[in-house]
């Protein structure tokens, strides 16, 4: 039998140990529980992140792990630039009167070596001539070729050098249907045509032709998109007949020929935007249109011609608008007088440069919007071969020049003064005078 102490000890230890273990375990779990609660209250998954708050933009939610994107500033809507209004098509036309090469005029261009140089005749007007879109001259006298003697009145033959000077001055269109076309016969006309084709094919030559087909073909000059038909006729040939089989050389402005001329105008209207007729007509040295000019003006208006520029009288004649039967209008320069000449009466020294502006309307038609005449005067000295032969604007012609003019010793019926010349220009041209 074991002692009681042993039992007690055994059982006591056991009880006490169990009790102690129980208490110890309870306290341990209380400690753990308390520790767990404290840790849960202080932990945060964001403790190691730095986030800069951003203002809300466009309703987008920014991720806290990214920096906010910069906000785009909308560009202002550009104001559309209006398309510029297209400028209307336009052509400036310049036309001068008779290039009438008398014997004294030939001497004015004669050089020491026997050649001819007429460039100086135009030197004071080259700027105006060249500035025009289209410049037209009436070459009164035929360039008949060197196989014929060069001559003045009454049957003219002008050196080719005059053609060169015309081109150098800036002219684009040369009129050859005149009463002197046949002065050197058919051969002279053919030589003239050959000269232009060979030396200046860029020049438009009107009024003389090398074949029936060429005569029947309407000449249309296109400039700045505007098509301009041009027709050139002469009232006669000073009694010189056209050889049989050569009727194509020149077209006559005779009443028996009116149906042919009407048909040409009608074709011209179909092929172009604007029609010009250059008639060689009228009565020499008369300041008003004669009955023939009035009759042809009526026919031109009936056929719808837009512009008429006449030559031959060797003096200025009026400018006027004619109302056409179709409701349109036709402008008529009855005569621009002489541009170059050796004539010896004061009124025949006075000529004109017609300036006409053609403009496209909003409806697409071509109309004359500006028109005027610049008066010019031909100067030559008593010694016509001294190099002073030239044409000036009347506004630039001085009293000093006038005093040296050769006409003072040659004129038979008139006295040449600036005052009288201006008075005549104003009386004939009226409001169309451009000083």
């Amino acid at each position: 039998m074991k002692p009681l102490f042993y039992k007690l000890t055994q059982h006591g230890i056991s009880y006490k140990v169990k009790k102690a273990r129980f208490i110890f375990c309870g306290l341990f779990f209380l400690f753990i529980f308390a520790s767990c609660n404290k840790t849960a209250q202080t932990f945060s998954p964001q403790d190691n992140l730095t986030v800069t708050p951003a203002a809300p933009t466009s309703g987008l939610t920014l991720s806290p792990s990214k920096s906010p994107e910069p906000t785009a500033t909308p560009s202002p809507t550009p104001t559309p630039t209006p398309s510029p209004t297209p400028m209307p098509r336009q052509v400036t036309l310049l036309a001068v009167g008779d290039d009438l090469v008398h014997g004294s005029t030939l001497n004015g261009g004669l050089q020491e070596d026997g050649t001819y140089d007429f460039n100086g005749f135009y030197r004071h007007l080259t700027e105006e001539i060249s500035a025009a879109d289209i410049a037209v001259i009436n070459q009164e006298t035929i360039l008949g070729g060197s196989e014929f003697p060069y001559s003045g009145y009454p049957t003219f033959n002008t050196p080719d050098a005059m053609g060169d000077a015309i081109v150098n001055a800036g002219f684009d269109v040369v009129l050859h249907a005149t009463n002197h076309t046949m002065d050197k016969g058919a051969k002279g006309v053919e030589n003239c045509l050959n000269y232009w084709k060979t030396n200046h094919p860029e020049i438009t030559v009107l009024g003389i032709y090398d074949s029936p087909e060429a005569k029947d073909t309407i000449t249309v000059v296109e400039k700045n998109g505007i098509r301009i038909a041009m027709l050139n006729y002469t009232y006669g040939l000073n009694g010189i007949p056209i050889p049989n089989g050569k009727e194509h050389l020149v077209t006559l402005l005779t009443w028996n020929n009116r149906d042919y001329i009407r048909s040409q105008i009608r074709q011209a209207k179909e092929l172009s935007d604007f029609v010009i007729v250059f008639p060689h007509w009228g009565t020499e040295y008369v300041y008003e249109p004669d009955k023939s000019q009035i009759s042809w003006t009526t026919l031109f208006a009936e056929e719808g011609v837009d512009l008429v520029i006449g030559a031959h009288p060797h003096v200025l004649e009026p400018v006027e608008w004619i109302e056409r039967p179709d409701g349109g209008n036709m402008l008529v320069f009855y005569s621009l007088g002489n541009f170059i000449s050796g004539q010896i009466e004061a009124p025949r020294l006075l000529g004109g440069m017609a300036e006409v502006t053609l403009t496209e309307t909003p409806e697409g038609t071509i109309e004359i919007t500006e028109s005027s005449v610049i008066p010019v005067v031909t100067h030559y000295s008593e010694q016509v071969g001294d190099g002073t032969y030239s044409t000036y604007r009347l506004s630039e012609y001085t009293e000093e020049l006038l005093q040296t003019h050769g006409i003072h010793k040659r004129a038979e019926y008139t006295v040449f003064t600036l005052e009288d010349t201006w008075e005549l220009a104003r009386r004939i041209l009226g409001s169309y005078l451009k000083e």
Side-chain angles (χ1 to χ4, degrees):
M1 177 178 171
K2 292 182 179 180
L4 180 61
F5 178 78
Y6 172 78
K7 290 183 178 179
L8 289 172
T9 302
Q10 184 180 25
H11 291 283
I13 292 173
S14 176
Y15 172 76
K16 288 180 180 180
V17 169
K18 289 180 180 179
K19 184 176 181 180
R21 288 176 178 173
F22 177 80
I23 293 171
F24 177 78
C25 288
L27 291 173
F28 176 79
F29 282 109
L30 286 174
F31 175 79
I32 295 300
F33 179 77
S35 297
C36 287
N37 286 343
K38 182 177 180 180
T39 303
Q41 290 175 352
T42 60
F43 175 79
S44 169
Q46 299 182 12
D47 278 350
N48 295 323
L49 297 178
T50 302
V51 179
T52 302
T57 57
S58 304
L60 298 175
T61 302
L62 297 179
S63 169
S65 61
K66 294 183 179 181
S67 299
E69 297 291 334
T71 303
T73 303
S75 301
T77 302
T79 303
T81 302
S83 300
T85 303
M87 294 295 291
R89 294 179 294 167
Q90 196 169 74
V91 167
T92 57
L93 176 79
L94 180 145
V96 302
D98 307 335
D99 201 68
L100 180 58
V101 186
H102 290 91
S104 61
T105 314
L106 287 172
N107 291 337
L110 184 62
Q111 306 299 297
E112 292 183 359
D113 62 359
T115 62
Y116 289 90
D117 185 345
F118 300 102
N119 287 290
F121 286 25
Y122 309 100
R123 63 183 180 273
H124 300 294
L125 296 171
T126 300
E127 183 176 347
E128 287 93 336
I129 296 166
S130 300
D133 290 324
I134 301 174
V136 184
I137 187 171
N138 178 57
Q139 182 53 47
E140 181 80 19
T141 53
I142 196 73
L143 311 183
S146 59
E147 64 191 83
F148 302 105
Y150 298 126
S151 56
Y153 182 83
T155 54
F156 295 82
N157 184 31
T158 300
D160 292 348
M162 180 58 79
D164 298 336
I166 284 172
V167 175
N168 294 338
F171 288 103
D172 309 288
V173 179
V174 180
L175 311 177
H176 267 299
T178 79
N179 56 309
H180 294 289
T181 298
M182 297 296 297
D183 278 7
K184 296 303 172 185
K187 184 61 175 177
V189 177
E190 291 164 354
N191 288 344
C192 185
L193 284 167
N194 184 62
Y195 160 76
W196 287 114
K197 289 182 178 180
T198 302
N199 295 278
H200 302 289
E202 77 281 7
I203 297 299
T204 299
V205 176
L206 298 178
I208 55 175
Y209 309 97
D210 59 6
S211 68
E213 294 75 20
K215 177 184 177 182
D216 293 340
T217 301
I218 304 301
T219 298
V220 177
V221 175
E222 183 167 352
K223 188 70 176 180
N224 300 339
I226 297 176
R227 299 167 302 161
I228 304 170
M230 299 182 178
L231 303 169
N232 181 211
Y233 311 110
T234 179
Y235 76 93
L237 299 167
N238 290 346
I240 301 175
I242 301 174
N244 291 332
K246 300 282 187 176
E247 290 83 4
H248 57 266
L249 292 176
V250 61
T251 302
L252 297 179
L253 191 72
T254 60
W255 205 243
N256 291 337
N257 213 20
R258 66 185 181 277
D259 289 340
Y260 176 76
I261 291 172
R262 284 185 186 275
S263 69
Q264 285 216 307
I265 294 171
R266 292 171 186 175
Q267 290 180 57
K269 289 185 67 65
E270 293 177 358
L271 296 172
S272 68
D273 305 305
F274 194 88
V275 177
I276 307 176
V277 176
F278 297 96
H280 204 77
W281 62 357
T283 302
E284 290 182 334
Y285 317 128
V286 174
Y287 305 125
E288 296 289 338
D290 62 20
K291 291 181 180 180
S292 176
Q293 286 170 285
I294 298 302
S295 295
W296 283 110
T297 296
T298 301
L299 184 147
F300 296 152
E302 289 172 351
E303 295 300 333
V305 171
D306 299 292
L307 176 62
V308 178
I309 301 178
H312 174 65
H314 305 308
V315 292
L316 285 176
E317 289 185 348
V319 183
E320 69 172 334
W321 283 98
I322 302 295
E323 185 176 351
R324 300 190 317 225
D326 64 3
N329 292 297
M330 178 177 75
L331 183 62
V332 183
F333 296 82
Y334 286 102
S335 172
L336 294 174
N338 288 329
F339 188 62
I340 291 286
S341 85
Q343 293 196 312
I344 59 175
E345 300 300 335
R348 306 173 197 178
L349 301 178
L350 174 65
M353 292 194 301
E355 292 186 322
V356 179
T357 301
L358 313 181
T359 305
E360 182 183 25
T361 69
E363 294 74 29
T365 60
I366 305 300
E367 294 184 356
I368 297 171
T369 52
E370 295 181 30
S371 56
S372 61
V373 179
I374 300 171
V376 297
V377 61
T378 301
H379 176 84
Y380 55 83
S381 68
E382 184 178 354
Q383 182 62 39
V384 293
D386 65 357
T388 63
Y389 216 116
S390 193
T391 298
Y392 293 78
R393 289 181 69 140
L394 183 55
S395 60
E396 296 176 356
Y397 194 68
T398 65
E399 188 67 36
E400 290 74 20
L401 280 169
L402 183 142
Q403 294 304 320
T404 66
H405 203 294
I407 196 174
H408 298 303
K409 293 186 177 181
R410 300 176 65 196
E412 299 178 3
Y413 305 106
T414 58
V415 175
F416 180 40
T417 70
L418 283 178
E419 182 180 359
D420 290 345
T421 305
W422 273 113
E423 194 280 329
L424 181 62
R426 294 185 180 109
R427 176 163 60 87
I428 295 171
L429 299 174
S431 62
Y432 292 94
L433 176 69
K434 180 179 178 180
E435 300 190 19

